[in-house]
Amino acid sequence: MLTEDEREALFDRILGWVDRWSVGHAGFEECDRLGMSDAQRLAAGRALAGIGVEPHRVLVDGNWDFIGNGKTTTLVKGDATSLSIAAASIIAKVTRDRMMRDHDEHFPAFNFAANKGYPCPVHKAAIQALGPTTIHRRSWAFMDGLPWNGVSRYERPDPQGRLFE
């Protein structure tokens, strides 16, 4: 609901209000290897570990408890009803946006400074023309049929195996 400039303006104010904060991250290799659900769990675990204290309660935006520690409360549209979730959302989004702006200098054709890696037309056109960068998730379904410049697409092994192998 906020513009990028509004989120940036609130970022330092929010950090001044909190005692502790942390952002968890899963890299593209981890997202490919684990799948997005387990990568989200990994990132959340890293964020919780990064605050340096054991939380009494964890609020999660949405209806999926991806943390699963028995201390989680899920809130659908939590960023509109919980100041804690709204603040965490701003911190996470600004942190990610800043990371993507840093990547922009290494991959100018992808215009990460403007699109932050979301699959907008400019980003899709760059992937179609140039193939993925070293920071793209290889298992993303959008990658099918694109040029790869010698880099192989990552496909997670089926945990149940193949029926006729």
Side-chain angles (χ1 to χ4, degrees), residues 109-112 114-130 136 140 142 146:
F110 289 84
N111 199 18
F112 289 139
N115 66 53
K116 312 299 185 289
Y118 292 105
C120 68
V122 170
H123 188 157
K124 286 181 178 182
I127 293 172
Q128 288 171 338
L130 304 170
H136 278 98
W140 184 28
F142 182 75
L146 296 178

Side-chain angles (χ1 to χ4, degrees), residues 17-32:
W17 297 333
V18 299
D19 291 327
R20 297 168 185 257
W21 68 280
S22 178
V23 174
H25 176 77
F28 72 90
E29 301 105 334
E30 292 168 319
C31 293
D32 282 338

Side-chain angles (χ1 to χ4, degrees), residues 21 53 55 62 67 72 77 110 113 121 137 142:
W21 68 280
V53 295
I67 296 174
T72 306
K77 299 188 186 216
F110 289 84
R137 289 182 283 126
F142 182 75

Side-chain angles (χ1 to χ4, degrees), residues 13-92:
R13 289 181 68 189
I14 292 169
L15 296 188
W17 297 333
V18 299
D19 291 327
R20 297 168 185 257
W21 68 280
S22 178
V23 174
H25 176 77
F28 72 90
E29 301 105 334
E30 292 168 319
C31 293
D32 282 338
R33 183 172 37 85
L34 299 171
M36 290 308 295
S37 295
D38 286 338
Q40 190 171 5
R41 281 187 195 95
L42 177 64
R46 287 174 174 164
L48 290 172
I51 61 173
V53 295
E54 183 67 27
H56 298 287
R57 176 68 53 212
V58 178
L59 301 178
V60 173
D61 191 6
N63 61 5
W64 179 49
D65 177 7
F66 52 85
I67 296 174
N69 62 5
K71 300 176 182 179
T72 306
T73 299
T74 59
L75 295 169
V76 174
K77 299 188 186 216
D79 58 346
T81 59
S82 166
L83 181 59
S84 297
I85 292 176
S89 178
I90 291 167
I91 290 170

Side-chain angles (χ1 to χ4, degrees), residues 146-160:
L146 296 178
W148 284 87
N149 299 331
V151 179
S152 62
R153 184 181 194 281
Y154 184 90
E155 295 194 31
R156 258 184 330 282
D158 184 344
Q160 296 180 352

